[in-house]
Every structure is written in C-alpha cells, then in structure tokens.
Amino acid sequence: MDLYALTIHEARELLDRGEVSSTELTEAVLERIYALDNEIKAYLTLTPELAMEQAAEADRRLAAGERTPLLGIPLAIKDVLCLEGVPTTCGSRILENFIPPYDATVVARLREMGAVFLGKTNTDEFAMGSSTENSAFFTTRNPWDLTRVPGGSSGGSAAAIAADLCLGALGTDTGGSVRQPAALCGVTGLKPSYGRVSRYGLVAYASSLDQVGTFGKDVVDAAILLQAIAGHDPRDSTSMDLPVPDYLAALKAPDVRGLRVGVPQEYFIEGMQPEVEKGVRAAIAQLADMGAEIVEISLPHTEYALPVYYLIAPAEASANLARYDGVRYGLSVAAKDLWETYRRTRGQGFGPEVKRRIMLGTYALSAGYYDAYYLKAGQVRTLIKQDFERAFEQVDVIVCPTSPTTAFRIGERIDDPLQMYLADIFTISVNLAGVCGISIPCGFDDQELPIGLQVIGPAFGEERILSLAHAYQQATEWHKHRPSLPIPA
Ligand code: GLN
C-alpha cells in the first residue's frame, strides 16, 4: 500500500485501528517528497525533524486511546501563514530571513489537534499572482505537466496535494488563490466565507478579502480541515462569533434532489477555453441527472469584479506592505539615512508584481483620486455583493467554471499582467461578496489537464457547497485521477 496516496479519512481509519503509525505515514510522505519535489518544487521549506517529532508524539497519543480527526496526519502549510520557529517568507526576499515567534491561529489549532507539519509551500510573493511565478525563489510545476504552472498563489499547496506530497494543506484565497490552483492541479480547494476562519498570523495581503482555505484530495478532507480551523478567534476581530456547524454531518447523506442550482449566464464568456465550458456543462448535466433543479440566473455586475478587485486589493496591499521598512524585521539594507534605508530595502526586497500593486494602490488612495477610485470601487463592490444576495433568494448554490482555462505554460503570461489577472475572473467576485466557494475536479481537456467546477454558496453556507460537491464526487471519479509521476523506489 502506498501510504502517501491515502486521503486523510482513509489514513484516519488505519491510524485509529493501529494498522499504521503516524511515524510510518510521515516517513512515507517525506520519502515521496525527497524523490519528487526536486521536480515539482512545491515546498519552500521542509521541516522533517519537526514532522518526525510530531509523528512520534501523535503515536503516543494514539496509543493512549485518543481518537481525533487530524491526529498524526501530515499536512503542508502555505508560506504566508506563521509557523513558530520556521521561516515564513511569503515568497519574498524581504522576509527571506523572517522566523515568526508565534503560530497563526489556524496553525496553532492544527498543532493542538496533533497534526504533523511537513513544511511550508511555495506561493506568489505576498500571494499576489495566479501561477507561483511571482515567487522570489522559484516556480512550482504542475504535476500534470511539468512545463505548466500549478496556478496560484497557493500553487505549492495545490501541487503538493496533486503529487501526493502531503495528505492535506492550507492555502489562502484573496481573489481565487485556493480555488484556481485547485482547479489547475485537479484537487479540491475550499475558500470559506469571510469571517469564518481567523486571519491572525496570516501575513496580510488585502485584509477585507483574505481568507484561509483548505486543500484536500476530496471534499471530505477539505471539510475535515475546515472543521479544524473554523470559528471565532478573539485575536481577529473580523472572525465571526458564530457557532461552527458539523461539516462532516452535512456530508452524511449526499443528495442533491430538489436542490436549486443556479447557473450564472455571465460566467460563460467569449474567450474561455471551449473544453472548460464543455466539462462544466457536462457536470451541470450530471447534477441535473442526480435530481438537482438547474436554474439560469444572472449576476449582472460580474463585469466590474476585476476592475473593482484591482483597485481594492492593491489599495489594501499598499497599506499592509508599508510595514516592510527594514527597521523591525525582515530584510534591511543599510544606507546613509533612514529614507535611503527605506528606499533600498523596499527596492531590493520586493519583486516587480508587488511593486506594481503598491504603486497602483498608492495611486488609488491618494488625495484627489480616492473618491474616483477607492470609494467608487467600494460602492460597486456593494452591488456585486447584492447580486449574490438576490441570487441566493432564488437558488441554494451557484455552479460555474473555476478558471476560464486549464493550466497555462510557465512563462506564457508573465509579461502580460492583464492576461494573468484574467485567470481569476470567475473567482474574484466570491471574495468581493464575502461568500464561500469550492473547486472540485470535473474532467480533463485534450491535453489531459484537469478542469475545475466551482460551487458557490451564501455567506456561512459552507455545508451547502460541501454537501453538493461531495454528492458529485460520490457519483463521479474525476477526483480520483492522479498524474503519472515516477514512483519512488
Ligand atoms: N490572482 C489574484 C491576485 O493576484 C488573487 C490572488 C489571491 O487570491 N491571493 O491578486
């Protein structure tokens, strides 16, 4: 049996029955990483000593009779989330030597539950990007075709799941960064509603949009991870003080009969890859066969989502990134005076995309332009949010493509920011509206590259999207396909 290929819920049964130890499981995944990650490049930092220690501790807890969902399960953490004592670079030179003295709340929760941390995964610098090519260190490769991007910005986590280099992973999603790489790597990726999960210890990109999300080999695993990290945190005032439902109970009796499934006409656009449309339409037909009621809907302000996002996200980023001044932590390039120190530190520490966003954001926030750009963008954001509120009066969930294309080639869009930004055209509205979404595999194009189906639910309606996505996976096999990679000896 290839232990690294297990899902979290499969591994759980073997661990609980004492048929496999966490030490054996963790070793198997680490071996797989050593054999394959030179090619895939999913991880920025590996933490094998920490992992083996945590695995040994998990085995002690298992032997003492503890039975909890993530005890002894090897996971990967996107490198924008603080893991105490381990470099947290955000894919940036400016934080290359930053070692956080504390855990992000999501990391602390997983640690208490006895999860095993394999390492930190690659990301576009400060999560700005859709391909991991903006990482200051290297580009992660798509396990389905090593000449292609894994998507981004959580491309390292998505590729790690697709190549069986971890059992589950955390990512973050500000405009699509969990769902889009999940689609391009053929795995399951969930972005919870804004406020569902604590952002404490997540290095901020755009604070009104950022949310921690989960990656799994299937919906059950994504739900297990969400269960672990969801809920109020007094350290993040935007995390909602609401009860956390039992997400796994919502998966018990998968049934979509009578469910009203909305298909937004604005999400099938000219210029999208025809095979993506075909794959998504086939998935919708499958849902209809399973008894769902398909309803044509409209989200009329969709066309404004991209421009609104590229005002709000850079504006917030320009403010959040002001803290990297070479004084308190991170890179510091000494110079003759303080201003020159700032200039050189930031000039050398940030990559081109981050600088572009800081300039865009600073411009949008500057006196004289604020009302025309930032304020206006906020108003249109409200219209986009209202589109979803109206839609959810009519339907229970919305389905559409996750990404307009399958994985593109490394280098293909790097010099064309607009093309790169278009990768998130179907995911960005979800963040602007604060609702939740999940991407699940629903087919392949003629290059054997995975296609993602996005299921969107109302704010704090994660059970709905998990349950529909799970029902689809019960009826189909797409999520079980794996890229053919050399098996380690
Ligand atoms: N690709 C989008 C951006 O570059 C979204 C990134 C994200 O969700 N972190 O901003």
Side-chain angles (χ1 to χ4, degrees):
M1 181 178 25
D2 294 327
L3 294 179
Y4 54 77
L6 295 171
T7 62
I8 295 176
H9 55 95
E10 288 165 350
R12 177 80 276 130
E13 285 182 22
L14 296 177
L15 289 167
D16 287 353
R17 288 205 302 260
E19 288 171 28
V20 166
S21 69
S22 174
T23 301
E24 288 165 326
L25 177 62
T26 304
E27 269 170 359
V29 182
L30 285 170
E31 285 305 316
R32 173 95 174 162
I33 293 172
Y34 296 141
L36 287 179
D37 204 41
N38 281 338
E39 290 293 315
I40 309 282
K41 296 169 174 286
Y43 286 91
L44 281 171
T45 305
L46 283 175
T47 53
E49 294 87 14
L50 172 65
M52 293 312 295
E53 249 171 58
Q54 289 176 314
E57 172 62 20
D59 285 332
R60 279 191 287 275
R61 283 163 70 170
L62 281 161
E66 185 176 335
R67 295 289 178 268
T68 45
L70 288 168
L71 184 57
I73 301 289
L75 302 177
I77 309 289
K78 184 181 182 181
D79 206 24
V80 294
L81 291 160
C82 289
L83 181 63
E84 186 186 334
V86 175
T88 294
T89 69
C90 299
S92 182
R93 293 275 173 218
I94 214 155
L95 286 178
E96 195 167 0
N97 301 316
F98 174 60
I99 299 184
Y102 67 104
D103 278 340
T105 295
V106 291
V107 169
R109 289 196 182 174
L110 296 176
R111 196 193 286 276
E112 277 158 30
M113 290 172 187
V116 170
F117 299 137
L118 297 162
K120 308 293 295 288
T121 52
N122 198 18
T123 168
D124 287 292
E125 188 172 2
F126 287 103
M128 297 175 190
S130 307
S131 68
T132 78
E133 289 166 292
N134 295 334
S135 165
F137 304 108
F138 45 77
T139 299
T140 299
R141 296 181 177 145
N142 191 312
W144 293 90
D145 176 347
L146 299 179
T147 69
R148 292 174 189 269
V149 302
S153 61
S154 316
S157 288
I161 298 273
D164 290 321
L165 307 181
C166 63
L167 270 67
L170 294 187
T172 60
D173 190 314
T174 303
S177 278
V178 166
R179 291 159 289 154
Q180 184 259 10
L184 271 47
C185 287
V187 302
T188 298
L190 168 72
K191 186 208 88 82
S193 313
Y194 187 78
R196 181 78 284 180
V197 177
S198 168
R199 292 182 297 113
Y200 179 77
L202 154 62
V203 179
Y205 160 19
S207 309
S208 78
L209 298 160
D210 296 341
Q211 194 62 195
V212 180
T214 64
F215 286 99
K217 295 176 188 177
D218 62 18
V219 172
V220 178
D221 283 5
I224 291 172
L225 287 167
L226 176 66
Q227 195 79 55
I229 62 170
H232 179 59
D233 174 11
R235 287 175 160 145
D236 172 8
S237 60
T238 66
S239 73
M240 294 291 279
D241 199 355
L242 288 173
V244 178
D246 183 342
Y247 295 116
L248 294 168
L251 306 186
K252 283 271 149 60
D255 187 1
V256 302
R257 268 175 300 172
L259 206 73
R260 293 163 306 162
V261 175
V263 179
Q265 60 189 56
E266 292 83 1
Y267 279 62
F268 293 87
I269 52 170
E270 219 175 292
M272 70 189 282
Q273 191 179 322
E275 291 153 305
V276 170
E277 171 157 8
K278 212 171 123 211
V280 170
R281 297 251 187 230
I284 295 168
Q286 166 93 33
L287 291 170
D289 281 349
M290 290 160 61
E293 182 195 335
I294 308 298
V295 185
E296 276 265 346
I297 60 162
S298 172
L299 297 166
H301 297 93
T302 298
E303 62 174 307
Y304 303 111
L306 208 65
V308 163
Y309 176 87
Y310 278 99
L311 287 166
I312 291 176
E316 294 181 10
S318 70
N320 277 326
L321 271 55
R323 72 190 63 165
Y324 305 106
D325 56 7
V327 177
R328 280 159 293 200
Y329 46 76
L331 180 75
S332 184
V333 184
K336 63 178 186 334
D337 59 31
L338 188 60
W339 286 110
E340 192 58 18
T341 301
Y342 289 164
R343 209 178 66 80
R344 290 209 192 158
T345 299
R346 291 168 68 82
Q348 290 176 31
F350 290 136
E353 183 61 29
V354 173
K355 287 178 183 162
R356 179 181 293 125
R357 307 264 178 126
I358 291 173
M359 285 190 278
L360 280 171
T362 306
Y363 183 81
L365 289 175
S366 54
Y369 294 108
Y370 180 90
D371 287 3
Y373 294 119
Y374 188 70
L375 194 73
K376 186 58 75 184
Q379 290 164 339
V380 181
R381 178 180 187 172
T382 303
L383 297 175
I384 292 169
K385 188 162 176 273
Q386 288 168 350
D387 279 358
F388 281 95
E389 285 163 2
R390 282 197 200 103
F392 286 121
E393 285 166 12
Q394 244 187 300
V395 295
D396 300 302
V397 296
I398 294 171
V399 297
C400 60
T402 306
S403 159
T405 68
T406 56
F408 44 93
R409 287 198 190 281
I410 293 171
E412 195 179 305
R413 298 193 189 178
I414 194 68
D415 297 322
D416 189 344
L418 202 59
Q419 274 306 313
M420 193 67 93
Y421 297 171
L422 283 169
D424 296 298
I425 188 139
F426 299 144
T427 48
I428 267 172
S429 299
V430 169
N431 302 75
L432 289 168
V435 297
C436 58
I438 190 168
S439 180
I440 53 173
C442 73
F444 292 88
D445 71 3
D446 62 2
Q447 310 282 307
E448 310 255 332
L449 297 168
I451 299 170
L453 174 74
Q454 182 175 212
V455 186
I456 302 171
F460 301 95
E462 281 81 5
E463 305 104 295
R464 283 196 208 171
I465 58 173
L466 287 167
S467 125
L468 176 115
H470 180 58
Y472 180 80
Q473 289 191 342
Q474 294 293 99
T476 58
E477 300 272 307
W478 300 116
H479 61 292
K480 296 196 173 148
H481 290 250
R482 284 284 170 279
S484 49
L485 290 161
I487 305 296

